[in-house]
Amino acid sequence: MFLMVTGGILALILCLGLISVNFLWTGENKTRLLKILAGADLILILMFFLGFMLRNKIPNAAVEKLGSFATVFLLTQLICGGLVIIALIVRALYRKFHKPTPYNPERRRALKYSLVYPAMSLAVALYGNKIERMEIVDRFFDIPIKHLPPELQNFTVAQISDVHLGAYFSLERLEKLLERIAVAKPDILAITGDIFDDVNLNDAAIKLVDSYCDKFKHGIYYCHGNHEHFRGIQKISEQLSKTKIHWLVNESAHVTENLYVLGVDYPPAAPVMKSGGRGKQDELFYSQMKEYLEKALAGVPYNATVILLAHHPEFFDAATQKNIPLTLTGHTHGSQVWGLHLLEVFKYTRGMYQHDDCYCYVNSGCGSWFCFRLLTPPEAAYFKLINKV
């Protein structure tokens, strides 16, 4: 499924690139550029699929360099194609309501200021790849909770998610991120899955995270994401069991006298994107969510303050039924590009959601599916618990 969707996107980019050349250039330059662009795109697409098949055998440094080049090259075409289509629509509307100019096939085909379109597109692609993707922002929230015990007033939870350790997020970056959060002195650090995503680095990453447990007053709490299940879940679990990380699989951890942190696993029936609400697969998903949450709540006093860690954001629906005041999730990456969340690929895509007195935060993640972000920067989030008056 992933390869089919990716293949479709790459085919769209190729078409948009060819359309751009067709309307921005004329004569021999156009013919030459069409051939070069088509050849380069086909080579990159072939290299992408080969790289995906051999990803565990190619050094991360090589994958990062090739991935960055391919991303910038292909996204420049995608953005340029979008700009060209907008320009063509504007030109058509303008000519519809103004006196037509004498017909000239070549002049009608080419757009004015043709070099502006690829230049702007390249600038945006480079910004999303080299700058925004690399700059993790901090976000701060106050979470009002009814009848919050006095000792939990201003209790602060830091959250990271979707690091996707590997070619696009190194161990060195992970260490800098952990150190940066530790300096802020939150009471706990919550990690909501998809961090251990490279079979060659997972052991070292687990040891690194474990080494930071004592730097948070009440430690580090973690739940699995879907990518941990893709990268050797059994071995990851074995290594986690040897650490001080509070590794929660459908269970709870007693943090303080009145605070419990719950952690649920990623359900096998969970849709990668948005559930449809109908069909046997969705019914199984809802059943698994309910089952996992019930197990996690077992033994938790009814009047305790509870925080739920879940990778899939639709756990918020199950959490509201149990009146859980704060649910922290990830998985979506905030779509990585602002505007894509408007397509409703996910039910809950990014940021804070509220239902009555229940809050859910969908973290945009620290890593990337592909090495580009635009107006959806990677983030670390901080949540301060306050008493609701």
Side-chain angles (χ1 to χ4, degrees):
M1 183 64 177
F2 171 76
L3 290 178
M4 289 177 61
V5 172
T6 303
I9 294 172
L10 292 174
L12 173 64
I13 291 173
L14 176 59
C15 291
L16 287 174
L18 296 178
I19 289 171
S20 300
V21 172
N22 198 39
F23 279 94
L24 294 177
W25 281 275
T26 60
E28 292 183 3
N29 287 336
K30 180 176 75 174
T31 303
R32 189 179 299 112
L33 281 171
L34 284 171
K35 291 179 179 179
I36 293 173
L37 189 63
D41 281 349
L42 290 173
I43 291 172
L44 282 176
I45 291 171
L46 177 62
M47 291 178 68
F48 170 82
F49 284 106
L50 284 175
F52 181 81
M53 298 298 182
L54 302 173
R55 59 188 179 278
N56 291 327
K57 299 180 180 179
I58 302 174
N60 281 334
V63 173
E64 201 280 333
K65 286 183 172 59
L66 177 60
S68 290
F69 172 79
T71 297
V72 170
F73 187 77
L74 293 172
L75 281 175
T76 297
Q77 295 174 61
L78 179 63
I79 297 166
C80 188
L83 292 176
V84 166
I85 290 173
I86 292 171
L88 291 173
I89 293 172
V90 171
R91 186 174 73 174
L93 291 173
Y94 176 83
R95 289 178 174 175
K96 181 177 178 63
F97 298 104
H98 290 76
K99 183 178 179 180
T101 56
Y103 178 73
N104 181 321
E106 290 301 319
R107 194 161 71 84
R108 287 291 182 92
R109 173 65 64 179
L111 292 172
K112 282 186 176 181
Y113 314 115
S114 59
L115 289 178
V116 171
Y117 298 91
M120 287 178 58
S121 303
L122 178 60
V124 172
L126 285 171
Y127 167 78
N129 174 258
K130 302 296 184 184
I131 299 176
E132 183 167 322
R133 178 178 70 93
M134 305 300 291
E135 297 296 329
I136 295 176
V137 301
D138 295 324
R139 303 198 189 279
F140 299 89
F141 304 91
D142 289 343
I143 305 297
I145 299 177
K146 284 184 177 180
H147 312 300
L148 184 72
E151 69 270 18
L152 292 179
Q153 181 71 18
N154 297 324
F155 188 98
T156 302
V157 180
Q159 181 209 13
I160 58 173
S161 191
D162 297 85
V163 167
H164 290 287
L165 191 71
Y168 302 139
F169 206 104
S170 66
L171 276 172
E172 291 73 21
R173 283 189 70 195
L174 177 58
E175 184 171 12
K176 289 180 181 178
L177 174 61
L178 292 171
E179 185 62 32
R180 169 177 165 174
I181 296 172
V183 168
K185 297 189 180 301
D187 292 286
I188 66 173
L189 170 62
I191 302 175
T192 48
D194 281 9
I195 177 174
F196 307 119
D197 198 17
D198 187 314
V199 293
N200 297 317
L201 298 177
N202 285 343
D203 289 354
I206 291 171
K207 290 178 182 177
L208 174 61
V209 175
D210 183 40
S211 72
Y212 273 81
C213 286
D214 293 335
K215 296 193 177 185
F216 300 93
K217 183 176 180 180
H218 294 286
I220 296 176
Y221 298 77
Y222 159 85
C223 69
H224 287 318
N226 54 317
H227 276 249
E228 276 85 10
H229 286 274
F230 300 155
R231 303 291 182 258
I233 189 68
Q234 184 173 349
K235 186 176 180 183
I236 290 172
S237 299
E238 289 173 357
Q239 293 300 108
L240 285 169
S241 66
K242 302 173 185 177
T243 70
K244 290 178 286 187
I245 300 168
H246 296 277
W247 160 48
L248 302 174
V249 182
N250 308 328
E251 57 189 314
S252 66
H254 190 188
V255 182
T256 69
E257 181 180 354
N258 294 292
L259 177 65
Y260 286 76
V261 173
L262 314 182
V264 290
D265 202 354
Y266 190 88
V272 174
M273 297 179 184
K274 179 182 178 182
S275 65
R278 297 184 299 276
K280 292 183 178 180
Q281 188 69 17
D282 287 330
E283 289 177 5
L284 181 58
F285 172 46
Y286 300 149
S287 174
Q288 289 176 347
M289 280 199 297
K290 183 178 179 181
E291 175 191 350
Y292 289 6
L293 187 53
E294 290 284 359
K295 287 182 178 179
L297 281 167
V300 176
Y302 77 94
N303 59 345
T305 301
V306 173
I307 298 172
L308 172 63
L309 310 184
H311 187 65
H312 201 292
E314 289 193 37
F315 264 97
F316 182 45
D317 293 334
T320 58
Q321 295 176 14
K322 298 295 184 179
N323 295 315
I324 294 175
L326 178 60
T327 301
L328 303 179
T329 72
H331 186 57
T332 70
H333 295 215
S335 290
Q336 287 194 207
V337 178
W338 187 90
L340 289 183
H341 64 283
L342 299 177
L343 300 177
E344 293 189 347
V345 175
F346 300 99
K347 185 174 182 180
Y348 305 108
T349 302
R350 60 181 294 198
M352 189 69 75
Y353 296 86
Q354 181 181 359
H355 178 79
D356 295 332
D357 292 323
C358 301
Y359 293 84
C360 173
Y361 191 74
V362 183
N363 195 296
S364 292
C366 300
S368 304
W369 291 313
F370 57 98
C371 43
F372 177 85
R373 282 179 177 263
L374 184 62
L375 303 180
T376 309
E379 64 183 26
Y382 298 81
F383 308 90
K384 184 168 67 175
L385 309 186
I386 59 174
N387 188 43
K388 184 175 183 179
V389 179

